Amino acid sequence: DAGVIQSPRHEVTEMGQEVTLRCKPISGHNSLFWYRQTMMRGLELLIYFNNNVPIDDSGMPEDRFSAKMPNASFSTLKIQPSEPRDSAVYFCASSLGASHTGELFFGEGSRLTVL
Amino acid sequence: GQQVMQIPQYQHVQEGEDFTTYCNSSTTLSNIQWYKQRPGGHPVFLIQLVKSGEVKKQKRLTFQFGEAKKNSSLHITATQTTDVGTYFCAGRGSGTYKYIFGTGTRLKVLA
């Protein structure tokens, strides 16, 4: 299995631009999570989906952030407009959910720099 | 909301010394997981604990889940340079798929 695939791996953009991060979970996994990692705040859960439905988005910082999961094999995290404080590594993770071990499989992350 | 804290934040040890990181949740957990993140890498699953008082071992690593299911620990015996990285606990409350990650403990092993 290819594992969780994220793109882009690195993104440098200017303040005010739109950023779209993409994630392909492991086939057959029914839960998908978006985390953000910074030195100051550690690993923060932004949103998670179960069976393509957003279950909890209480970690999404503000209206500039949005996430979608149109089907079981694809999710996006969009930031519009981006700000320098959004600079972080964004991880996508998938799991089989509570019916299995619930182990989270992380992608390699998307490192975002907003100038 | 649920918070998960870890201590210490950083630990430097000489190769061969033991290392322990502690994880404390503000709420009772259904289960707890441990992950390791190498510098520049992504978190990788190590183990899951479910039962109160559970102890599991993986070679030199020993994991414990507290009786009240609010705390956990990871102990590494005789550290090696390959143990370098940040160790995170991640706790899940009952009735949710949501894992809240601890603040992490960054381990450096000096050869």
Side-chain angles (χ1 to χ4, degrees):
Chain A
D1 200 321
V4 175
I5 300 172
Q6 290 187 245
S7 64
R9 290 293 311 280
H10 301 275
E11 172 103 6
V12 180
T13 191
E14 292 190 343
M15 183 172 65
Q17 296 298 304
E18 178 179 295
V19 173
T20 299
L21 308 178
R22 298 172 177 80
C23 175
K24 177 177 166 51
I26 292 173
S27 177
H29 283 191
N30 61 347
S31 293
L32 184 138
F33 306 79
W34 281 100
Y35 284 89
R36 176 172 70 175
Q37 186 173 40
T38 61
M39 287 294 293
M40 291 299 295
R41 301 174 69 92
L43 265 166
E44 300 174 276
L45 177 63
L46 300 178
I47 186 170
Y48 79 97
F49 295 84
N50 191 44
N51 293 323
N52 312 339
V53 176
I55 303 300
D56 187 331
D57 65 356
S58 59
M60 294 286 262
E62 49 198 272
D63 291 346
R64 298 184 298 106
F65 285 68
S66 62
K68 293 183 179 178
M69 192 165 185
N71 56 62
S73 58
F74 185 65
S75 177
T76 59
L77 178 67
K78 188 175 291 187
I79 308 172
Q80 166 65 17
S82 58
E83 296 182 3
R85 60 190 167 126
D86 302 329
S87 297
V89 180
Y90 291 81
F91 287 106
C92 174
S94 70
S95 80
L96 280 171
S99 60
H100 198 252
T101 65
E103 172 185 349
L104 300 182
F105 292 82
F106 282 80
E108 296 192 7
S110 294
R111 182 176 293 277
L112 173 66
T113 303
V114 183
L115 303 174
Chain B
Q2 180 187 351
Q3 290 186 326
V4 182
M5 303 295 293
Q6 281 182 254
I7 55 170
Q9 191 175 0
Y10 301 97
Q11 183 91 56
H12 293 181
V13 299
Q14 286 290 136
E15 190 174 20
E17 290 183 339
D18 292 356
F19 159 76
T20 304
T21 173
Y22 300 91
C23 175
N24 292 286
S25 170
S26 59
T27 58
T28 302
L29 302 170
S30 285
N31 62 290
I32 196 160
Q33 298 178 342
W34 284 90
Y35 291 79
K36 177 183 178 181
Q37 184 177 23
R38 293 183 184 275
H42 58 278
V44 175
F45 176 83
L46 293 176
I47 207 159
Q48 174 167 275
L49 304 169
V50 179
K51 299 176 184 174
S52 169
E54 189 170 14
V55 177
K56 285 189 175 180
K57 292 192 175 187
Q58 283 182 351
K59 297 181 180 178
R60 295 178 295 105
L61 278 60
T62 302
F63 304 84
Q64 281 192 298
F65 201 7
E67 294 290 340
K69 301 184 74 173
K70 292 182 73 173
N71 55 65
S72 182
S73 65
L74 158 59
H75 178 83
I76 302 178
T77 304
T79 54
Q80 300 175 358
T81 54
T82 52
D83 295 326
V84 163
T86 301
Y87 292 85
F88 292 97
C89 61
R92 183 174 69 89
S94 60
T96 174
Y97 294 114
K98 190 171 168 177
Y99 283 92
I100 302 299
F101 276 72
T103 45
T105 297
R106 182 177 294 179
L107 173 65
K108 267 195 171 179
V109 180
L110 307 171

